[in-house]
Amino acid sequence: VLFIFLDTNLLNNAVALAQEQYDWLAKTLATTHAEWKILVGYHGFSNTAAMDQYNGQFLADLPKLLEMHDVQAYFSGTGQQI
């Protein structure tokens, strides 16, 4: 089982660091042989108010990336905008 914890504050705010983390995630998912892949992050995919305020494109693109690499689960911890 591969567990990955994302800093989703970066994915919402810091464009250069967000791209670096996103690229690392894409490479990690593409090269892993783990049968189960589980990701954890603070923000959910539908955190649109925060994404509108900052560059949230990386967070918005995550579902496509996770689906492409057969990630079984993504858990988020925020509930303000669910």
Side-chain angles (χ1 to χ4, degrees), residues 3-81:
F3 281 94
I4 296 176
F5 291 80
L6 297 176
D7 183 350
T8 58
N9 284 314
L10 285 181
L11 295 176
N12 269 336
N13 298 313
V15 176
L17 292 174
Q19 186 64 57
E20 183 179 327
Q21 182 176 220
Y22 188 89
D23 293 344
W24 170 83
L25 176 61
K27 181 179 178 182
T28 299
L29 291 174
T31 59
T32 186
H33 298 291
E35 187 173 335
W36 285 85
K37 297 170 280 290
I38 299 171
L39 273 68
V40 178
Y42 179 72
H43 295 94
F45 299 137
S46 62
N47 194 9
T48 54
M51 291 185 341
D52 289 343
Q53 184 177 359
Y54 304 108
N55 185 346
Q57 188 58 48
F58 300 105
L59 191 57
D61 288 343
L62 270 180
K64 292 177 265 181
L65 181 67
L66 303 187
E67 185 176 328
M68 180 171 47
H69 292 290
D70 298 320
V71 172
Q72 283 77 12
Y74 176 83
F75 296 100
S76 63
T78 186
Q80 295 98 316
Q81 300 188 13

